[in-house]
């Protein structure tokens, strides 16, 4: 299970803890997991990734995954 929040190569990323977590800043997340992964596991990974940058779920404006998993 993995979750990513705006890789460092994006123009919005800045060095330092919490740099992406400024209040009101819109974020995009990418999710990847095995088929059948419980929702609780996905939610935990997302909250952990967001917590690492000082952001909240309320800031997420877009989520992406691979098209192969579109039926999940």
């Amino acid at each position: 299970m993995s979750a990513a929040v705006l890789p460092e190569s994006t123009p919005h990323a800045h060095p330092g803890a919490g740099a992406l977590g400024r209040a009101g800043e819109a974020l995009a997340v990418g999710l990847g997991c095995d088929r059948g992964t419980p929702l609780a596991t996905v939610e935990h990974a997302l909250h952990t990734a967001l917590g690492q940058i000082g952001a909240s779920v309320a800031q997420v404006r877009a989520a992406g995954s691979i098209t192969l998993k579109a039926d999940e």
Side-chain angles (χ1 to χ4, degrees), residues 9-21:
S9 62
T10 65
H12 297 287
H14 305 284
L20 292 177

Side-chain angles (χ1 to χ4, degrees), residues 18-31:
L20 292 177
R22 291 186 297 264
E25 185 169 10
L27 300 174
V29 299
L31 300 170

Side-chain angles (χ1 to χ4, degrees), residues 47-63:
H47 287 279
T48 299
L50 291 170
Q52 288 175 353
I53 63 164
S56 72
V57 173
Q59 292 174 256
V60 176
R61 299 292 184 267

Side-chain angles (χ1 to χ4, degrees), residues 30-46:
L31 300 170
C33 61
D34 292 329
R35 189 172 291 278
T37 298
L39 177 59
T41 303
V42 174
E43 290 174 335
H44 177 74
L46 177 62

